[in-house]
Amino acid sequence: MQTPQQLYPLNLTVNGAEVSAQVPSTRRLVDFIREDLELTGTKVGCEVGFCGVCSVMLDGEPVAACHMLALQTDGREIQTIEGLSARPACAKLRDAFVDEGGFQCGFCTSGQLVMGTALLEKHDVCEMETADLALAMAGTSCRCTGYYGIHRALRKAAQ
Ligand code: FES
Ligand code: FES
């Protein structure tokens, strides 16, 4: 007979709401977000911290949620794509993605918006060379767009 997994208390803020849960020590943050909280805007791709589609904001900084344990977020604040448009930079970027064709299949889009929001909030994107922009966004892969529409959207949102 299998021994039941030990559960640990987890208290954090998600998209502005306080959340309390009991999770096993091995529960990944991305699974906690998608399965326990049913916030499925955060996607799962490579699962090894490479593609960035699982990006969320943790205390205002983008992190790969596949590469963190849920318990590491105890007492901290998370914003997923569902809550991110409360940030003006994200709302502008989301609209610019639509205007500039920043997505095709859309699988990477929530990750792009998380990373792009963090970039817009800290850098003058209009002044960045394309190579620097590509490097700054390299943590989030896109298999469809060739990045042209994504870069146009970032520049438009920065204006
Ligand atoms: S699924 Fe997390 S980085 Fe790819
Ligand atoms: S829009 Fe399809 S992976 Fe980026």
Side-chain angles (χ1 to χ4, degrees), residues 3-66:
T3 320
Q5 265 189 315
Q6 185 166 356
L7 300 178
Y8 298 87
L10 172 61
N11 298 288
L12 72 163
T13 303
V14 180
N15 298 332
E18 289 181 16
V19 171
S20 295
Q22 298 277 327
V23 295
S25 59
T26 52
R27 190 74 166 148
R28 296 185 311 173
L29 178 58
V30 72
D31 299 325
F32 175 69
I33 289 171
R34 285 179 51 84
E35 294 169 16
D36 297 356
L37 303 183
E38 299 183 347
L39 295 171
T40 53
T42 303
K43 304 301 182 202
V44 183
C46 68
E47 304 195 66
V48 292
F50 177 74
C51 74
V53 301
C54 65
S55 298
V56 297
M57 294 284 193
L58 175 63
D59 295 336
E61 298 290 336
V63 296
C66 72

Side-chain angles (χ1 to χ4, degrees), residues 23-153:
V23 295
S25 59
T26 52
R27 190 74 166 148
R28 296 185 311 173
L29 178 58
V30 72
D31 299 325
F32 175 69
I33 289 171
R34 285 179 51 84
E35 294 169 16
D36 297 356
L37 303 183
E38 299 183 347
L39 295 171
T40 53
T42 303
K43 304 301 182 202
V44 183
C46 68
E47 304 195 66
V48 292
F50 177 74
C51 74
V53 301
C54 65
S55 298
V56 297
M57 294 284 193
L58 175 63
D59 295 336
E61 298 290 336
V63 296
C66 72
H67 243 210
M68 288 195 72
L69 296 171
L71 285 174
Q72 289 178 286
T73 65
D74 190 49
R76 302 174 75 178
E77 180 171 1
I78 286 191
Q79 267 182 321
T80 66
I81 190 63
E82 287 86 351
L84 199 70
S85 58
R87 293 164 90 125
C90 182
K92 283 181 81 175
L93 185 57
R94 180 199 56 205
D95 293 347
F97 260 59
V98 173
D99 293 344
E100 298 296 332
F103 56 89
Q104 288 180 28
C105 78
F107 187 71
C108 72
T109 305
S110 55
Q112 302 286 356
L113 290 173
V114 170
M115 296 296 283
T117 297
L119 184 66
L120 285 165
E121 288 176 347
K122 291 195 176 130
H123 296 275
D124 185 352
V125 169
C126 290
E127 294 297 314
M128 291 175 78
E129 300 288 340
T130 300
D132 294 331
L133 192 51
L135 195 59
M137 292 293 289
T140 311
S141 306
C142 178
R143 300 176 71 176
C144 304
T145 63
Y147 300 98
Y148 298 108
I150 292 171
H151 291 175
R152 279 198 308 271

